[in-house]
Amino acid sequence: MRVMKRILFGSLAAAMLVAGSAQAQVKVGNAMAVTGPIPDLVAPMVAAVDLAAKHINEQGGVLGESYEVVRADSACDPSAAVDAVTKLINVDQVLGILGPVCSGATIAQAESVSIPAGVVTLSVSASSPAITSMESGTDLVFRAAASDAYQGVALADLTLASGIKEIAVSYANDDYNAAIAQVFAKVYEEKGGKVVAMEAHEPNKASYRSEVQTLSKGTNALALFAYYGSSGITIMRNALETGAFDTFIGADGMLAQEVIDQIGAENLGNATFTTSASDDTTDAYKAWQALAEAAGVPAADPFVPNSYDATFMMAMAIEKAGSADRSKIAAALREVANAPGEVILPGEWAKAKKLIGEGKDVNYVGGAGPQDFDANGDVQGSFSKNTVVGGKWSATLIK
Amino acid sequence: MLEFVNFYFIPGLVLGCIYALGAIGVTLTFGILRFANFAHGEVMMVGAFLTWTFMDFMTGAGLALHPLVAAIPAVVIAIGVSVFVDRYFYRPFRKSSPIIVVIASFGMMLVLRSLVQVIWGPNQITFVKGIAKPNGAIREATSDMGMMILVPDKHLLIMVGTIVIMLAFNYILTSTRMGKAMRAVSDNPDLARTSGINVESVIRNIWVIGGFCAVAAGVFLAMDTQFIESTMGFRILLPIFAAAILGGIGRPFGAVAGGLIIGLAEELVAYPWIGDAPLISPGYKSGIAFMIMVVMLIVRPSGLFRGKVF
Amino acid sequence: MDQMLGYFLYAMSLLTMGGIYAILALGLNAQWGFAGLFNAGIAGFAALGAYTYALLTTADSPFHYGGLGLPLVIGEMVAMVVSGMVAAVIGAICIRLRADYLAIATIGIAEIIKLVIKNETDITNGPRGINKIPRTWEHLTEERFYSSWPMSMFNTPEGWVSFFDSLPAWWWQPFFAATVLVIMFIFYFLLERARLSPWGRMMAAIRDNEVSARAAGKDVTGRRIEAFILGAVIMGMGGALLAQHLRLIEPTNTFDPAKMTFLVWVMLIAGGSGNNRGAILGGFLVWVLWSGSELMIKGSIDVIASIFSDWDPAILQTRAGFLRMLLIGLLLQLVLQKYPGGILPEKRPAVSGRNAKRAGNRE
C-alpha cells in the first residue's frame, strides 16, 4: 500500500510539475483526434492549426506575448475529449478551446467541461446539426465549419442540377456521415429525386462488394457518405471493380488527394464531392492557398482551411478582448469574425493587430468562407464542388 | 445466378481465404499455448508494412517488386518479432493463469501498433494503385461457355496462394517430425513433454508457422484492399477469432473451414434473398461473425472439427 | 490562484473518473476475482447501464425515444436492473463455457449490444448519441428540476436561480466526485460482506476446485450465474455514472472495448484480482497514469526539445498520442511481470496460520 501511495502521488506531482513549468503565454487549447478512427484526416488539420500559430507569432504574437497552441488528444471519443479538455482548461489554463474534431466529442466536452467552466469552444470541423440546438443560451460554442443542415441541401441541389434523378445512398454508420446522409436523402426526395436504396454500412471492413451490388439496382449513381480512410476508398474501388456504380456524389469526408492517388484519376471522371470551402475565385482562398502551398499543407483537404481560420479567429478574438480573460472572448469572437469591418484575409495578422489596436472594426474572411457567426455560433459556409482535373481535385464555388 | 457467383460468392471466398490464413496462427497458439493472442492481428499488419517498405525501397532503386516477392524478407522479420515477443513477454507467464498472457498479448497489441504508428505514421499508404479489372482470359473462356466469370488477377493470386500454403502446411503437419511433435503437444502437452519432445522448440515452430501465415494474410489483405494502415490487423482480428472457434480450437483445418464460412457469411447476408433489400442491414455486418460464433459456442463449443474445450 | 483552483478541479475529475473505473473494476472483481468468470464484455454492460439511464432521465427529445425525464435515482436503479437482467439471460446460456470461451462469447455479445445501439436509430439516435444527460448535483441548476417538486417546496424558481448564481460555477464538481466515491464505497462494503460470507467462501471454493465443490453438493451453475449478475449490476451503475460525467454517450467510441474493457482488466489485474481494495486501487492508479501520462509526455517532449534545440520536435509532437499508447503498453508488461498477483494480492477468508500466507500468494 505504501509503495502504491508513493507511485500515485509521485506521478500526480510529476504531471503537475511538468505542466506548470511552462511560462506565461497566451495559450489556447487544441483538442484534436490525433489518435482514434480518423488520424489521416486530422493530420493536415493539425498542420493547419500550427501554421496559423506560426504566422501569428512571426507577425508579433497576441497581446505582445507568443501565441501557444496546447495540443491534446480527443481521439474522436467523448471520454477522451472530456479528459483532454479538463486538463487543457484546468491544468494548462487555456483561454479557449479549438474544438475536438468529431461532433460527438465536441458536444460531450462542451456540455461536460467547457460550458460549465465558461470557456469558449471554437470547433474546426464538427458539422452535426445537433450542435446548433445544444447550448441553450450560453453562447459559448462556435464552429468554423458549416452545419450538415446546409451542406446536405447544397449537395442535393447539385445532384439534381447535374441531371441525376435516381440515386442509391450508402453511408458509414458514424456521427458525421449518418447525419449528413439523412439530410441529403430527405431534401433530395423533397425536391423530386428518387432514392432507390439507402443503407448504412459498418466502417472498416475489408470488402463491400456485396453491399454495393445489392444497392445498385436500377441506377449507376451512388451518394457515398464515408471517411475516405475507413470505408470510402474501399467502397468506390469495389463499386468500380464490379461495375456496380460509376458516378459518385459525396461530401467532405471523401475529399483527399489520397483518393486520387489510390484509385487513379482515370477512374474518377464522374466523381463529385462537396466541401465547405471557397474556390480560387475569391481573394481569401487565393491568400490561403498561397500560404498553405508555401508550407506544404494540403490547402483543399476537408476542414484544413477551417482549422486555419479557427486558430486565426481565436487569436483575433483574444487580441480584441484586450486581456487574457476567458469571459470576454465569446463577444470578441463575434465582433472580429462578422461584418462590418475592414476585411482581414488569412495570414494578415500584422494588419489585424494594428487595426484592432486602433479600435477599428475588422471582419475575418477565411479560406473556408466568410466565417460570419449567426446567433447560434454557426457559420453559413460556402460550398464548392470538387472534380478531378489533371490528377488533382479542382474546386468550383456553388451558389 | 451469375451475379451471385461474381459479386457475392467469389468476394466471400477471397475474404474467407484471408480469414483462414489468419485463423491458423490463432488456433495454433490457442491450442498449444492456451491463450487467445490479441497481438496476432498486429503481426499481419507489421508484415504488410514491412512488405510495402521493401517494395518502396526497391522502387527507389529502380526495381518494381511484386508484393509476394517483397513479402519474403518481411516474413523473416515478422517471425523474428514474434519469437522475440514470445521470449520476453509471453514466456515469463507460461506457468501462470492464461488470463495473464491474454492481457500481456493485449498489451503487445498496443505496443506493436503504436510502434508502427510512431515509425510510419497513422496515415493510409497506397499499396497498389488503381482499379483491378477482371482477368480477361477467364472472362473470355467462361463467357464462351455461357457463364461469364469475373475475377480480377489479385483474387486469383490470393486464392491460389492460400491453396498452396494450405498444401504445404498439410505436408508439414502430417509428414514431418516437427509437425508430428506439434500435434502431440497440441493434444497433450504433459504427455508430449514426458515422451521427450522439446516443448519450447515446438512453441518456437508455432510462432514461425503462425507468423508466416499471418504475414501471408496481411499481404493478401493489402493486395485486396490495395492500401495499408495501422489498424488493418485489428479490424479483422475478431472475425478471425470467430473462425478459429468455429473450426475448433487447435484444429488448423477447422480454422480454414471456419475462415471460409465466416468470410462467405459476411458477404452473403447482403444478398437480397428476400425481396430487394439486403437480408440483414449492412450496418450489422460485423455482427454476423459474432452471431455465428456465439451460437456455435452454445450449441457445440468444440467447433465443427471437434477442437479442444478447456 | 486560478492555477490552484485548476489543479483542484483536475483532481476532482481524476477522482470522478477513477471512481467510475473503480466501480467497473469492482464489478469485474465480483465476476473474475470471486467466481473466475472471464467477462470480456464490460463495455457492453456499461453501455446498457449508460443508455438506460440516459433514456430514462433526459428531457423529452425529438432525436431519440423519450427521454422520460424521470428522477435520477430511478434512472440509476433501472440501469442496474436492466444490466443485471441481460446478464441473467447471457449467464443462463453461456455460463457453462470455460474461461477463454466465455471471454470470446462475451466480447461477441458486447459487440452485438453495440451494433444494436448503433443501428436502432429510432430509440437510441444511433451513432450520433444522446446528449444533455443530467449529472447529479449539476442537474439541480436545470429549470425542469428546480421548478418542480421537491425543489419547488423550498424556494421559488427565481430564488433558486439567484441562489445558484451566487455559487461559484464549479460548486457541483466536488459534490459529484464525492457522490461517485460514496457509491463506490457502498459497493465495496457490500462486496466485502459478500466475500467474507459463506456465499463468498463457496464462490472461492467453486473457482479453485469446481469438481470438489460440485461433489460437496454445491449448486455450481447457480452460484456462478449469481456472481455474473452481481458484477453486471455494478457495471450497469458504473455505466450510468459514466453517462452523467460525459453528458453525451455514443456507441462507437465511448464504449470501445479496446479501450474500456481492456482498461478495466488492466486495473483489476494490476490492483490484485480477488481483492476488492486492489480493484479500487487499480482503478485509481491506472486512470491517473492514463490521464496524467498525456501531460507527462507533453512535458518530456518540451524538455527534449529544449535540450536538442537544433532539432525539430514537430514529428514527435504529432505522434505523441501514439507514444503514449506505447508507454502504457510497456508499463503494463512491467506490472504484469513484477507483480503477477497484483499490487494487493488476494487475502483468503477463513484460512489461518501458515496456509493464509501461501494462499495470499495465489494468482
Side-chain angles (χ1 to χ4, degrees):
Chain A
M1 195 65 198
R2 218 187 61 235
V3 182
M4 280 348 294
K5 268 190 192 143
R6 225 158 51 204
I7 298 176
L8 195 83
F9 289 115
S11 54
L12 244 182
M16 288 177 173
L17 261 179
V18 167
S21 65
Q23 313 87 331
Q25 289 152 323
V26 173
K27 287 198 276 191
V28 294
N30 180 216
M32 295 292 252
V34 185
T35 64
I38 46 166
D40 36 6
L41 270 168
V42 174
M45 292 161 64
V46 166
V49 169
D50 289 345
L51 183 65
K54 182 166 157 262
H55 288 156
I56 288 164
N57 284 328
E58 281 169 0
Q59 299 178 36
V62 180
L63 301 175
E65 314 250 3
S66 88
Y67 182 56
E68 199 202 350
V69 174
V70 187
R71 182 147 305 118
D73 185 10
S74 64
C76 221
D77 167 4
S79 82
V82 166
D83 182 45
V85 173
T86 305
K87 283 181 279 192
L88 289 174
I89 289 180
N90 291 323
V91 179
D92 294 308
Q93 295 281 320
V94 298
L95 294 173
I97 300 290
L98 293 168
V101 175
C102 301
S103 301
T106 306
I107 299 175
Q109 68 83 14
E111 289 187 349
S112 177
V113 193
S114 68
I115 292 181
V119 175
V120 167
T121 302
L122 175 53
S123 174
V124 296
S125 65
S127 60
S128 165
I131 291 181
T132 304
S133 62
M134 65 166 261
E135 45 167 338
S136 50
T138 52
D139 200 29
L140 285 169
V141 181
F142 295 80
R143 49 177 159 175
S147 164
D148 292 335
Y150 300 120
Q151 186 167 192
V153 175
L155 189 57
D157 286 341
L158 176 69
T159 313
L160 288 166
S162 49
I164 299 170
K165 301 288 177 222
E166 293 191 339
I167 203 161
V169 182
S170 180
Y171 60 94
N173 213 354
D174 60 49
D175 53 354
Y176 165 67
N177 292 299
I180 190 166
Q182 308 294 352
V183 176
F184 169 81
K186 187 163 158 279
V187 177
Y188 184 73
E189 295 231 293
E190 276 170 9
K191 298 197 172 176
K194 182 164 182 269
V195 174
V196 293
M198 178 159 172
E199 294 288 351
H201 65 259
E202 184 74 354
N204 299 331
K205 301 299 286 182
S207 153
Y208 295 98
R209 294 184 182 87
S210 53
E211 280 101 320
V212 293
Q213 190 60 30
T214 308
L215 278 171
S216 75
K217 306 290 184 280
T219 176
N220 63 345
L222 177 68
L224 176 58
F225 299 98
Y227 293 119
Y228 70 89
S230 40
S231 59
I233 288 179
T234 310
I235 288 191
M236 283 183 81
R237 182 173 270 141
N238 289 167
L240 288 163
E241 278 171 6
T242 59
F245 294 100
D246 59 11
T247 306
F248 301 94
I249 295 280
D252 312 83
M254 287 302 297
L255 200 63
Q257 186 61 30
E258 198 67 31
V259 177
I260 302 177
D261 290 347
Q262 290 205 19
I263 296 181
E266 67 279 10
N267 299 310
L268 290 169
N270 288 322
T272 312
F273 300 127
T274 58
T275 185
S276 66
S278 308
D279 69 352
D280 53 15
T281 57
T282 63
D283 292 341
Y285 191 82
K286 271 185 212 153
W288 151 246
Q289 201 173 23
L291 292 170
E293 274 165 13
V297 174
D301 272 19
F303 304 117
V304 172
N306 311 65
S307 304
Y308 185 94
D309 292 351
T311 316
F312 209 88
M313 284 190 287
M314 183 65 92
M316 287 171 73
I318 296 170
E319 187 76 37
K320 179 86 185 176
S323 67
D325 182 350
R326 286 169 173 176
S327 59
K328 291 184 189 157
I329 291 172
L333 193 54
R334 211 169 240 121
E335 277 179 44
V336 297
N338 291 10
E342 184 128 357
V343 169
I344 303 291
L345 299 180
E348 295 183 335
W349 177 252
K351 181 179 165 192
K353 195 175 163 67
K354 183 166 158 285
L355 288 173
I356 293 170
E358 291 166 1
K360 296 213 173 101
D361 265 348
V362 285
N363 172 22
Y364 181 76
V365 177
Q371 301 290 16
D372 292 338
F373 297 114
D374 67 11
N376 292 315
D378 284 359
V379 290
Q380 285 279 342
S382 51
F383 299 99
S384 64
K385 68 169 191 172
N386 296 262
T387 47
V388 179
V389 176
K392 292 241 179 299
W393 290 111
S394 158
T396 347
L397 206 60
I398 46 180
K399 283 203 285 194
Chain B
M1 183 56 204
L2 259 187
E3 186 198 298
F4 178 78
V5 172
N6 282 334
F7 303 124
Y8 298 88
F9 189 75
I10 293 179
L13 220 50
V14 170
L15 196 59
C17 286
I18 294 165
Y19 288 165
L21 286 173
I24 290 177
V26 167
T27 207
L28 283 176
T29 38
F30 210 153
I32 291 176
L33 297 171
R34 288 204 49 194
F35 78 97
N37 182 11
F38 277 88
H40 194 73
E42 306 321 295
V43 179
M44 298 182 218
M45 182 266 292
V46 169
F49 268 83
L50 289 169
T51 306
W52 174 81
T53 309
F54 285 116
M55 281 164 67
D56 193 49
F57 182 73
M58 295 311 279
T59 313
L63 187 67
L65 280 188
H66 191 273
L68 292 182
V69 181
I72 295 169
V75 164
V76 176
I77 298 177
I79 288 176
V81 170
S82 287
V83 173
F84 173 84
V85 167
D86 180 60
R87 170 67 189 80
Y88 291 98
F89 296 101
Y90 302 157
R91 202 160 118 187
F93 307 116
R94 284 273 198 277
K95 299 269 175 284
S96 319
S97 113
I99 172 69
I100 306 286
V101 203
V102 172
I103 293 197
S105 80
F106 211 114
M108 278 327 288
M109 176 181 96
L110 294 183
V111 170
L112 287 176
R113 190 192 305 163
S114 21
L115 208 57
V116 166
Q117 284 164 334
V118 170
I119 297 172
W120 280 282
N123 294 8
Q124 272 191 9
I125 299 172
T126 311
F127 197 72
V128 181
K129 210 188 133 160
I131 295 296
K133 290 289 177 201
N135 182 304
I138 292 188
R139 185 175 163 174
E140 293 299 310
T142 50
S143 86
D144 288 346
M145 288 186 283
M147 41 181 297
M148 192 165 62
I149 299 289
L150 301 172
V151 48
D153 289 341
K154 61 179 185 184
H155 287 173
L156 284 176
L157 265 180
I158 292 171
M159 288 191 273
V160 172
T162 308
I163 294 170
V164 170
I165 292 173
M166 288 299 73
L167 291 176
F169 184 62
N170 182 34
Y171 173 77
I172 291 173
L173 214 57
T174 52
S175 312
T176 63
R177 240 187 114 69
M178 176 177 114
K180 285 175 188 158
M182 276 166 64
R183 282 191 299 157
V185 175
S186 171
D187 283 342
N188 189 334
D190 294 330
L191 191 63
R193 191 176 278 113
T194 45
S195 60
I197 292 172
N198 181 347
V199 174
E200 279 303 319
S201 101
V202 166
I203 288 173
R204 230 174 356 259
N205 289 330
I206 299 289
W207 292 115
V208 171
I209 291 178
F212 179 84
C213 291
V215 175
V219 173
F220 284 162
L221 179 65
M223 283 166 63
D224 186 24
T225 59
Q226 298 182 240
F227 63 79
I228 52 174
E229 51 86 44
S230 50
T231 58
M232 61 186 278
F234 182 68
R235 288 172 180 182
I236 65 166
L237 183 68
L238 291 176
I240 283 176
F241 275 176
I245 300 254
L246 186 61
I249 292 302
R251 295 282 174 267
F253 297 106
V256 174
L260 290 175
I261 292 172
I262 300 269
L264 280 172
E266 284 198 348
E267 293 287 340
L268 295 190
V269 290
Y271 189 72
W273 297 97
I274 306 163
D276 276 344
L279 182 66
I280 294 176
S281 159
Y284 279 108
K285 188 172 188 177
S286 45
I288 307 299
F290 297 119
M291 272 304 190
I292 297 176
M293 181 182 78
V294 171
V295 169
M296 197 68 197
L297 278 173
I298 294 160
V299 177
R300 189 180 158 118
S302 59
L304 292 173
F305 287 74
R306 284 245 163 268
K308 293 203 278 187
V309 184
F310 299 115
Chain C
M1 185 57 213
D2 278 356
Q3 187 72 58
M4 287 324 289
L5 177 66
Y7 284 143
F8 172 71
L9 293 179
Y10 178 48
M12 286 303 115
S13 134
L14 283 179
L15 281 180
T16 309
M17 269 313 260
I20 292 168
Y21 268 106
I23 290 173
L24 292 172
L26 281 173
L28 182 63
N29 195 31
Q31 296 176 338
W32 170 253
F34 289 9
L37 297 167
F38 193 162
N39 178 4
I42 299 161
F45 293 108
L48 279 176
Y51 267 87
T52 311
Y53 174 82
L55 289 175
L56 289 179
T57 58
T58 45
D60 189 32
S61 155
F63 297 113
H64 51 83
Y65 171 77
L68 300 180
L70 295 172
L72 273 51
V73 180
I74 294 184
E76 286 162 357
M77 293 296 155
V78 180
M80 291 197 281
V81 171
V82 167
S83 181
M85 274 172 10
V86 172
V89 174
I90 296 171
I93 303 170
C94 298
I95 212 76
R96 61 195 169 81
L97 299 173
R98 289 317 311 257
D100 309 36
Y101 287 85
L102 184 65
I104 295 173
T106 43
I107 291 182
I109 289 164
E111 206 64 26
I112 291 168
I113 291 175
K114 208 171 94 176
L115 280 173
V116 171
I117 292 174
K118 227 167 138 176
N119 283 287
E120 299 313 311
T121 331
D122 292 344
I123 300 172
T124 61
N125 200 25
R128 278 164 290 169
I130 299 176
N131 67 337
K132 295 187 178 171
I133 300 170
R135 176 158 48 186
T136 314
W137 299 107
E138 190 196 19
H139 77 286
L140 300 176
T141 63
E142 278 180 50
E143 193 186 351
R144 66 185 169 109
F145 288 101
Y146 67 64
S147 62
S148 63
W149 189 87
M151 283 177 78
S152 55
M153 280 172 54
F154 300 102
N155 208 336
T156 58
E158 295 75 32
W160 279 116
V161 170
S162 63
F163 172 70
F164 289 128
D165 282 347
S166 71
L167 297 172
W170 47 269
W171 67 270
W172 48 269
Q173 290 194 28
F175 287 103
F176 182 59
T179 308
V180 170
L181 294 183
V182 166
I183 293 172
M184 181 191 81
F185 276 114
I186 293 173
F187 282 133
Y188 167 75
F189 178 74
L190 294 176
L191 284 176
E192 270 305 286
R193 287 283 295 270
R195 187 175 71 92
L196 298 171
S197 71
W199 183 85
R201 276 176 276 169
M202 197 198 306
M203 291 312 308
I206 292 173
R207 179 195 63 195
D208 293 342
N209 195 336
E210 186 189 333
V211 179
S212 55
R214 213 182 276 277
K218 307 294 181 200
D219 177 7
V220 172
T221 312
R223 294 292 92 75
R224 280 229 178 96
I225 295 179
E226 281 166 17
F228 196 67
I229 295 173
L230 177 64
V233 165
I234 298 174
M235 287 172 191
M237 185 66 185
L241 289 171
L242 183 69
Q244 298 189 26
H245 180 61
L246 301 181
R247 304 207 61 207
L248 172 135
I249 47 171
E250 48 82 60
T252 324
N253 300 300
T254 321
F255 301 102
D256 178 11
K259 240 184 235 166
M260 180 184 269
T261 303
F262 172 61
L263 220 47
V264 176
W265 266 105
V266 172
M267 287 164 179
L268 183 64
I269 296 292
S273 78
N275 186 328
N276 289 320
R277 285 216 298 238
I280 292 176
L281 173 70
F284 283 104
L285 182 68
V286 174
W287 179 255
V288 168
L289 282 175
W290 181 261
S291 173
S293 63
E294 186 167 32
L295 298 172
M296 283 185 261
I297 288 182
K298 211 152 62 183
S300 338
I301 291 177
D302 288 347
V303 172
I304 294 173
S306 64
I307 297 171
F308 305 99
S309 50
D310 52 341
W311 176 69
D312 182 19
I315 187 119
L316 267 188
Q317 271 158 4
T318 51
R319 293 181 184 173
F322 307 112
L323 222 52
R324 178 183 175 202
M325 291 298 271
L326 184 70
L327 292 182
I328 294 273
L330 286 174
L331 191 79
L332 170 68
Q333 305 293 349
L334 190 80
V335 171
L336 281 176
Q337 302 205 0
K338 276 242 161 206
Y339 302 92
I343 296 158
L344 297 177
E346 183 183 7
K347 287 195 187 66
R348 301 292 295 274
V351 201
S352 58
R354 229 176 41 219
N355 291 343
K357 204 173 168 196
R358 209 169 33 177
N361 293 332
R362 199 199 68 90
E363 38 180 71

